[in-house]
Amino acid sequence: IKMNDAKVLADCRGLSSGTIATLTGEPLYFIIDLIQQKFVEFVTAEQAKTPACFETWQDAWNVFKASQLETAVYGFTTKLGLKK
């Protein structure tokens, strides 16, 4: 893992529940925790495939949001502000 990859991953792990709630509109902590877990798993997998693919956690979030967020919590909530 490159140094920036480690920082981005640490930042993803360190996001507060409040930040994730703001990004998703989700008020329930158990769902916020699931979203963060899936986000960290996503970033880890993407970095393994393509090192230095994200410059910031925000870059990683935007890619995650576009590709995974709905399936990350499928069956738990539809209140994610991502309706197509």
Side-chain angles (χ1 to χ4, degrees), residues 63-82:
V63 174
F64 174 70
K65 178 180 166 182
S67 64
Q68 297 291 321
L69 191 52
E70 289 177 295
T71 58
V73 292
Y74 180 76
F76 291 101
T77 185
T78 57
K79 187 181 175 187
L80 297 173
L82 299 172

Side-chain angles (χ1 to χ4, degrees), residues 47-58:
Q47 288 178 334
K49 289 189 286 188
T50 310
C53 55
F54 305 120
E55 290 187 29
T56 65
W57 73 261
Q58 293 92 336

Side-chain angles (χ1 to χ4, degrees), residues 11-23:
D11 288 348
C12 294
R13 284 187 179 124
L15 286 177
S16 72
S17 296
T19 297
I20 295 172
T22 299
L23 290 168

Side-chain angles (χ1 to χ4, degrees), residues 2 4-5 8 42-56 59-60 63:
K2 293 188 176 188
N4 192 57
D5 283 354
V8 170
F42 173 81
V43 172
T44 301
E46 291 299 306
Q47 288 178 334
K49 289 189 286 188
T50 310
C53 55
F54 305 120
E55 290 187 29
T56 65
D59 294 336
V63 174

